[in-house]
């Protein structure tokens, strides 16, 4: 695949985007999302978030962060508690997810703002953020290049970005994709949330999303530099992609 925006396979055209109302789906499962998440990930997502947040170590103590697709605020709460002078804007278009997670930031609420907002049109001024964290959201963005351009707009030159995601595997992973994700995970999700479709969407959305290489390319095209990928334990199921906002020309 060539490194140009026009040559990156766009997930925007895939039929799933039209058939799944992602916002309604997350609003529907919001109250049971954390319970399902903890069982399915066996708590490993907590370690992944910690690794992602460690990449912000060089940012100033009073940095301003965006948590994009903040959901039930695990990332937002982790940033706000680990960095006592930081401010965090948690943006998510599913208001019920933010509401379900709001008790997690009750101690730090003075430095946390919850915004029901779409990642394609963020309600922030240009260049306000020093750091952007996004966990398991970008796979859902139906116009990904538009959303990454928006991310570039709201970050200052030198800002750090850390994206956790399940990217499309380059080589087939028979157990994780063929058995766990396809069969076991929808059953667990169904048992805990009563919503089987939401957990069938997860493997489908991974299968149609970018590989890490595709996503790295998109970030560079959007104006980010120092783009790099770390595959996370166990078995490179999830990846952490980090980048720095370049200087606009
Ligand atoms: C899998 S959840 C992850 C939530 C949280 N970041 C976490 O790590 O648990 C994905 C979140 O992205 C949000 N999301 C998806 N598409 C979005 C969009 N276009 N704009 C804003 N939020 C979006 C969903 O509402 C959902 O809360």
């Amino acid at each position: 695949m060539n490194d140009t925006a026009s040559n990156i396979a766009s997930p925007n055209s895939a039929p799933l985007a039209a058939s799944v109302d992602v916002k309604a789906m997350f609003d529907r499962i919001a109250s049971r999302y954390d319970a399902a998440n903890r069982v399915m990930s066996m708590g490993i997502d907590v370690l992944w978030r910690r690794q992602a947040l460690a990449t912000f170590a060089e940012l100033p103590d009073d940095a301003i962060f965006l948590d994009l697709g903040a959901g039930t605020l695990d990332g937002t709460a982790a940033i706000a508690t680990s960095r006592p002078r930081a401010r965090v804007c948690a943006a998510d278009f599913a208001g019920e997810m933010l509401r379900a997670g709001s008790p997690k930031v009750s101690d730090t609420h003075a430095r946390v703002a919850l915004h029901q907002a779409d990642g394609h049109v963020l309600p922030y001024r240009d260049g306000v953020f020093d750091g952007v964290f996004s966990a398991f959201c970008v796979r859902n963005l139906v116009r990904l290049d538009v959303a990454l351009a928006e991310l570039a707009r709201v970050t200052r030159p030198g800002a750090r970005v850390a994206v956790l995601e399940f990217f499309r595997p380059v080589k087939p992973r028979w157990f994780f994709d063929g058995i766990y994700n396809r069969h076991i995970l929808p059953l667990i999700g169904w048992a805990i949330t009563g919503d089987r479709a939401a957990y069938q969407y997860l493997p489908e959305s991974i299968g149609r999303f970018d590989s890490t290489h595709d996503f790295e390319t998109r970030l560079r095209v959007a104006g980010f530099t120092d783009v790099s990928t770390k595959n996370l334990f166990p078995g490179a199921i999830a990846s952490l992609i980090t980048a720095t906002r370049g200087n606009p020309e």
Side-chain angles (χ1 to χ4, degrees):
M1 188 173 284
N2 288 337
D3 284 6
T4 63
S6 57
N7 280 335
I8 297 172
S10 168
N12 307 351
S13 55
L16 190 67
S19 60
V20 177
D21 182 342
V22 174
K23 176 184 176 305
M25 185 181 80
F26 280 106
D27 275 333
R28 213 166 57 225
I29 62 172
S31 63
R32 306 291 296 152
Y33 174 84
D34 281 350
N37 214 17
R38 291 295 171 264
V39 174
M40 286 178 209
S41 73
M42 294 178 279
I44 292 166
D45 58 314
V46 177
L47 301 179
W48 291 342
R49 265 185 212 93
R50 207 170 292 159
Q51 274 182 273
L53 298 189
T55 67
F56 295 128
E58 313 263 289
L59 292 181
D61 290 349
D62 59 353
I64 304 176
F65 288 89
L66 168 65
D67 182 1
L68 177 65
T72 55
L73 304 176
D74 281 345
T76 300
I79 298 169
T81 47
S82 64
R83 303 183 68 112
R85 294 185 55 215
R87 282 180 285 160
V88 192
C89 291
D92 199 295
F93 69 177
E96 291 304 320
M97 291 287 278
L98 295 174
R99 255 185 292 283
S102 59
K104 294 177 195 168
V105 292
S106 55
D107 291 347
T108 52
H109 70 271
R111 294 181 290 111
V112 171
L114 309 186
H115 298 133
Q116 185 172 356
D118 191 318
H120 300 90
V121 271
L122 291 168
Y124 307 115
R125 280 184 291 112
D126 295 358
V128 283
F129 293 108
D130 303 296
V132 176
F133 171 71
S134 186
F136 311 108
C137 169
V138 295
R139 179 172 24 90
N140 303 290
L141 297 169
V142 290
R143 295 170 66 210
L144 188 50
D145 292 327
V146 171
L148 292 183
E150 190 63 345
L151 214 55
R153 182 186 69 74
V154 300
T155 44
R156 65 155 172 85
R160 295 284 294 154
V161 172
V163 174
L164 278 175
E165 191 51 274
F166 301 116
F167 292 92
R168 178 170 49 79
V170 176
K171 291 188 200 141
R173 302 169 298 195
W174 75 270
F175 176 74
F176 185 67
D177 297 309
I179 301 196
Y180 183 76
N181 262 355
R182 185 170 305 166
H183 300 294
I184 300 175
L185 189 136
L187 284 178
I188 301 174
W190 185 25
I192 298 176
T193 66
D195 194 321
R196 190 167 189 166
Y199 291 90
Q200 270 163 344
Y201 166 79
L202 177 62
E204 286 171 20
S205 62
I206 295 171
R208 64 190 270 281
F209 190 49
D210 283 0
S211 65
T212 53
H213 174 79
D214 297 339
F215 191 76
E216 282 192 2
T217 304
R218 282 186 201 276
L219 280 171
R220 292 191 186 97
V221 170
F224 294 91
T225 59
D226 304 328
V227 181
S228 75
T229 296
K230 183 174 184 184
N231 293 322
L232 300 173
F233 173 85
I237 295 168
S239 301
L240 167 63
I241 297 193
T242 54
T244 302
R245 173 75 175 96
N247 283 306
E249 281 148 28

